[in-house]
Amino acid sequence: MTRLTEQEISAAIKKLPGWSVAHEKLHREYKFADFPHAFGFMATAAPAIERMNHHPEWSNVYNRVTVDLTTHDAGGITERDLKLAELLEGIAKKLA
């Protein structure tokens, strides 16, 4: 995978509401109704993430899930990160 340029990343995140770049990673904080919904989001996403073999840096505190995406092998954000962000957005919308 090739690392994306800043221009490519800026154009891509315009299509990903709520996402930004923080510390050279795609970043998003999801807020759900409660802990079961937040944890359900993570549990629902986990099998698809495993199939992609591209694992996020994420954490859960009560009703929030914080996600950071980067491709370590490429040293930055790649198309794989954008695809994973799109996947997570689709799952989050279904659980909202």
Side-chain angles (χ1 to χ4, degrees):
M1 276 275 142
T2 304
R3 183 178 175 168
L4 298 175
T5 65
E6 287 184 31
Q7 293 81 11
E8 291 170 322
I9 296 165
S10 293
I13 61 174
K14 288 179 183 174
K15 300 174 192 168
L16 293 166
W19 288 85
S20 63
V21 176
H23 308 288
E24 299 182 15
K25 299 174 185 179
L26 282 181
H27 176 81
R28 173 87 154 90
E29 183 178 284
Y30 292 98
K31 183 177 178 183
F32 296 94
D34 52 25
F35 176 76
H37 283 89
F39 192 80
F41 166 73
M42 295 175 83
T44 301
I49 290 168
E50 186 64 22
R51 283 191 297 277
M52 289 179 75
N53 193 29
H54 189 56
H55 304 92
E57 297 173 14
W58 61 357
S59 63
N60 165 242
V61 177
Y62 181 57
N63 66 337
R64 297 177 193 274
V65 176
T66 303
V67 181
D68 288 300
L69 303 176
T70 188
T71 303
H72 296 283
D73 294 345
I77 298 167
T78 68
E79 283 291 328
R80 291 183 81 192
D81 301 302
L82 296 175
K83 288 181 196 277
L84 182 48
E86 290 170 2
L87 172 82
L88 294 173
E89 283 299 300
I91 292 168
K93 284 179 184 172
K94 290 178 185 174
L95 296 175

